[in-house]
Amino acid sequence: MSIHALHLNVRPVRAFSDNYIWLIESTTVPGEVVAVDPGEAEPVVADLKRRNLHLAAILLTHHHPDHIGGVPELQRLEKIPVIGPDDPRIAHRTRTVKDLERCELPDLGLSFEILQVPGHTVSHIALWGHGALFCGDTLFSAGCGRMFEGTPRQMNDSLNRLRDLPPETHVFCGHEYTAANLRFALEVEPGNRAALEYQERVTRLRSQGEPTLPSTLGLESLVNPFLRCDKPIVRAAAEKRAGKKLDQPAEVFGVLRAWKDQFR
Ligand code: ZN
Ligand code: FE
């Protein structure tokens, strides 16, 4: 998979059991970084210290503790901008961003378009720019987040918005769930060649302790059943599971999501 489309240095910091905090390097000032979804402060502080980097801002996709838990501690160390969606559950936010707004960090040479993507939570946002997509718990590689606060139609619309970005877009998700997601993807589409090939690669990466991310939207459109609700083969699998005809992709999505919730 070529990575030429990514115009950004991004590195994962691991947190909890399977979270990724993404550190984005400034394109203009060496050593300055932005953290996406710091659920924990300690691993970020340790990483910055080890590499002699400075945290200049924090970007948040949604209010869940495993994504914002480290913010108070990081802010206590230094007052830096904390940018996130309009949600009272994100108490330490210093700047609010809305759908289709640009999130500009001119001093750092960074600029992202905000996409409101309700479903996992009502106020969830994704950030898109420099060939990268930071999508929190909305889109995972080969899967998607649980639907805690949205309807199937909302979440399906949100995923379609992300899917319709350029296929070379690199996808930086909030969790390392790819291997388990692929097992479900292959339950839905046992004959999906791209998913089978990807599974080999993912197994190899995980056995070496390497992240499977970033993915690309082009790959996701081939392997991720939740982005394929309009494909006849995925609809047929969902109809078989539901025992009835499903007319709308959003209905297919609803069946897949409920199926995945039960899948072990
Ligand atoms: Zn979450
Ligand atoms: Fe999460």
Side-chain angles (χ1 to χ4, degrees):
M1 190 70 45
S2 137
I3 56 160
H4 67 272
L6 182 65
H7 309 292
L8 216 52
N9 268 329
V10 186
R11 220 157 31 73
V13 170
R14 287 157 208 253
F16 306 109
S17 57
D18 49 34
N19 280 73
Y20 288 128
I21 299 164
W22 296 105
L23 295 187
I24 309 170
E25 235 180 88
S26 163
T27 65
T28 50
V29 192
E32 294 290 312
V33 296
V34 171
V36 181
D37 285 356
E40 284 188 292
E42 301 80 63
V44 174
V45 172
D47 188 275
L48 297 176
K49 201 169 177 185
R50 190 165 56 241
R51 294 168 194 269
N52 200 22
L53 300 170
H54 175 249
L55 186 64
I58 293 172
L59 304 175
L60 303 172
T61 64
H62 68 295
H63 76 277
H64 284 156
D66 62 312
H67 297 255
I68 69 170
V71 175
E73 175 68 13
L74 293 169
Q75 264 212 322
R76 202 179 54 76
L77 299 171
E78 188 184 339
K79 290 281 163 245
I80 52 172
V82 178
I83 303 161
D86 185 7
D87 193 313
R89 297 171 293 190
I90 303 176
H92 294 267
R93 189 171 81 253
T94 63
R95 188 164 132 204
T96 302
V97 285
K98 293 195 290 284
D99 196 34
L100 297 177
E101 202 173 290
R102 283 209 81 85
C103 171
E104 307 271 6
L105 298 163
D107 299 347
L108 302 170
L110 295 171
S111 168
F112 297 97
E113 184 168 323
I114 304 301
L115 298 163
Q116 203 81 48
V117 284
H120 178 67
T121 71
V122 281
S123 64
H124 200 304
I125 58 164
L127 300 114
W128 174 56
H130 310 267
L133 175 69
F134 298 90
C135 49
D137 290 355
T138 294
L139 175 63
F140 293 127
S141 185
C144 72
R146 280 180 189 263
M147 217 167 52
F148 287 122
E149 298 178 4
T151 64
R153 179 168 301 282
Q154 259 181 335
M155 183 117 188
N156 188 56
D157 287 349
S158 293
L159 288 168
N160 285 344
R161 279 189 88 179
L162 301 183
R163 182 193 63 187
D164 292 343
L165 297 172
E168 62 274 17
T169 303
H170 283 59
V171 184
F172 296 87
C173 319
H175 292 266
E176 179 61 66
Y177 289 158
T178 314
N181 285 341
L182 270 172
R183 269 192 285 115
F184 177 73
L186 286 163
E187 180 84 1
V188 178
E189 291 185 82
N192 185 323
R193 294 269 294 275
L196 287 162
E197 277 173 34
Y198 186 37
Q199 190 177 43
E200 273 181 40
R201 185 148 61 88
V202 165
T203 304
R204 192 172 64 243
L205 284 168
R206 294 310 291 153
S207 71
Q208 295 163 351
E210 294 291 326
T212 62
L213 302 173
S215 178
T216 64
L217 286 177
L219 176 62
E220 292 307 313
S221 71
L222 295 176
V223 303
N224 192 324
F226 296 99
L227 299 188
R228 297 168 56 78
C229 294
D230 55 350
K231 299 280 183 284
I233 191 163
V234 173
R235 189 179 67 210
E239 286 180 337
K240 191 170 167 210
R241 170 80 182 182
K244 62 174 183 186
K245 272 202 73 59
L246 304 168
D247 297 322
Q248 302 292 325
E251 293 176 77
V252 173
F253 175 82
V255 170
L256 287 186
R257 190 53 265 182
W259 183 1
K260 174 72 164 55
D261 288 343
Q262 307 279 310
F263 185 74
R264 288 290 172 272

